[in-house]
Amino acid sequence: MLHKLPAEIALHTISYLPLHSLYSTTLVSRDWNTLITTNEPTVYRNAAIVHRFIDEDQLHAGFIPIDWKTYCRRQLGIERGWYGKAPSVIRELSEAGSVVHRIKVDYELGFVIATSQAGGLTVCDVKNNRVLWALPSNHAVRYAHCEYDRGYIVFNRLDNCKEVWRLTIHANGNQQPETSLPDRQMLEVSVQSAEKFRSDETHRGHFKAWALLQMPENARAFRFSYPTLLAAAKNNAYLWDIPRSQMISVIRDIQRPHHGVQLGSINYVEVNDLYVFICGGTGLRIFAREGGALLYQLFPVELSSAAWDVLPHSTGLTSTIVRPQLLLHNHDSSSSLHGGHFMACHVSAAGSDLAVLTSSGRLVMLPDFQRLFAASNPTHHRDLVFTLNFAPFSGDANVSYYLAVGGQNGKFALATRKGIYVISPDFHFQRLTAGRPPEPGVSVCRLSKVDDERSLSSMSCLQITHDAIYFTYPPSRANSALIAGHHAHAIEGHDAPGFGIFPFIGDVDDDEDGFVDGWDDSESEEEDLMVEDDDPVHALVNHWLLHATASANTVYSVSF
């Protein structure tokens, strides 16, 4: 009997049970009830570790919930929500802006950072849908690409520099780096923004000018994963240490021919502690950060025609927008194979799994991708790769829009012409909370109400956090489809700001939109966007938002 084992062994064994079974276990006998209830904090702490509801970094940082049982119950609800097994809530964060371009999310501090198609940057409270802090449109450029991690914002400007802003609560009391100091314009705007939003004594969501990085050459594609900023030019990739504001290394000649083929135009870049990943027009290249050696290259034409087709499925709760999808193995799913290129890639937070998105709607998953270039006995990609096909009946080479990666939960999100999907990999099945994933080791769900092709074509950003997915989509006044059927899920937040003339909803004319920074004003066509004088967002920041072109987009979240 379990209660006759040493307490330490018994409690560790119990932690492997599905969480919903722990209560039933207390009903088995009086001895079992005594064992579990007496040691309830230990039981649920062990369960949180086993089920990966808490990671090692949190443990080392001394994270201790007030009640481990309540904490596990909350985490289980979130996890079930990702699989369409728990209710979800939709929020419209209209105060983030009405012509949003890029978004980043701070899950811990509860705010969204948004850049605008019209210029400017806004920090919006996720819970209360209010502006916490902002930069004016005459400072943050139109269509600025923005990166954020651990309190640092990095965004581009037109003079081939990258601005770095740091959370005020972190910057105060810390000495700024001696190199790459912010220029006069940044310092002046920093003071103005602090003055404009001085009423918030906590300074939550406030930022302070930190550094100005001068790129050695035009480096439009960039990615920030703390503490490293990767900025790629045509032939070279530059790595910067953001806290120190110093360039630390250069990977040169990234275009050098390999098997007679160059990398081509750069579509996306990714970086972690060990590797640099670059998606080019011809394929994906993986470089070693130390020394810059080319470790691996993969071409789209090398992919097998076999794939797991992602198909609609009718099962799932009616109280959630997240709907499970059916995965059907197709030995010859070649309709979306040819004509596409690698347009984005992301590596999991654990650093073991790589996901690569093709323009034709295929998500190529590479679990334990380091095996591809292992020093001894490297694995062939055909023995490692499996593919999810999100456009099984389309021969179009331009189906995909965006790929995003979550944090410690290991999830990915992607947007295509047909919808927004959440991918939950579990290649090495260990957890016992949401059920064993179907073959090939992943579960796929779709946001059921976000499926209007015209609205999706204007999507400019997608983010995924521990408990929510964030995306840009037309404001509710222009989007009756999303708010229809509100009986199935709650919609929280305010209406979008009023407009005299609503912007045309269409494609953003940016050849590399979603993957590189900047916007060429000479190529844009002006279209007036008239804002009412009593618009609360624009009244707050006064003249900071200019007339915009292109798509009306605000920020939505689906959370659990």
Side-chain angles (χ1 to χ4, degrees), residues 383-396:
D383 298 324
L384 186 64
V385 168
F386 74 87
T387 302
L388 298 174
N389 184 9
F390 290 86
F393 307 114
S394 172
D396 196 333

Side-chain angles (χ1 to χ4, degrees), residues 309-310 333 335-336 360-362 389-396 399 418:
D309 291 343
V310 179
S333 182
S335 61
S336 63
S360 57
R362 288 185 164 226
N389 184 9
F390 290 86
F393 307 114
S394 172
D396 196 333
V399 174
K418 296 298 183 181

Side-chain angles (χ1 to χ4, degrees), residues 115-116 118-121 133-144 153 155-159 161-165 182-193 208-212 543-546:
T115 64
S116 172
L121 181 147
W133 184 85
L135 290 174
S137 60
N138 61 5
H139 184 80
V141 299
R142 301 170 63 213
Y143 293 89
I153 296 177
F155 61 88
N156 61 286
R157 53 195 239 178
L158 298 179
D159 59 358
C161 291
K162 303 290 187 281
E163 292 194 12
V164 181
W165 293 70
D183 62 9
R184 179 178 178 180
Q185 179 186 2
M186 291 178 65
L187 294 174
E188 290 178 351
V189 172
S190 185
V191 172
Q192 293 170 8
S193 296
K208 186 176 183 179
W210 186 253
L212 181 63
H543 63 284
W544 286 20
L545 287 180
L546 301 176

Side-chain angles (χ1 to χ4, degrees), residues 22 46 84 152 185 212 245 254 409 412 416 464 497 499 509:
L22 287 178
N46 292 343
Y152 291 91
Q185 179 186 2
L212 181 63
S245 302
I254 59 177
N409 63 11
F412 296 89
T416 73
I464 182 170
F499 295 94
D509 186 18

Side-chain angles (χ1 to χ4, degrees), residues 104 145 147-149 220-232 237-239 251 254 263 266-280 283-289 343-357 369 402-407 411-412 463-464 514-516:
K104 295 292 178 181
H145 179 67
E147 291 288 328
Y148 177 80
D149 199 2
R220 293 186 65 205
F222 63 99
R223 170 77 169 159
F224 175 43
S225 178
Y226 183 89
T228 305
L229 173 72
L230 167 66
Y238 301 91
L239 293 105
I251 300 177
I254 59 177
L263 181 60
I266 297 175
N267 298 325
Y268 201 93
V269 296
E270 173 68 299
V271 63
N272 70 359
D273 292 341
L274 298 175
Y275 308 109
V276 165
F277 310 82
I278 302 181
C279 286
L284 167 73
R285 286 187 174 182
I286 303 176
F287 297 88
R289 281 189 54 170
M343 61 184 295
C345 67
H346 278 300
V347 64
S348 64
S352 58
D353 305 323
L354 183 65
V356 188
L357 179 65
F369 69 90
Y402 217 94
L403 176 67
V405 62
K411 301 184 188 303
F412 296 89
Q463 297 287 295
I464 182 170
F515 311 103
V516 295

Side-chain angles (χ1 to χ4, degrees), residues 16 42 44 106 130 174 198 211 225 229 243 248 254 326 375 385 409 436 447 450 462 484 498 560:
Y16 282 90
T42 301
Y44 283 96
D106 191 310
R130 66 184 181 91
N174 286 291
R198 66 184 185 278
S225 178
L229 173 72
I248 52 178
I254 59 177
L326 179 66
V385 168
N409 63 11
R436 178 182 291 273
L447 304 190
V450 190
L462 176 70
F560 312 104

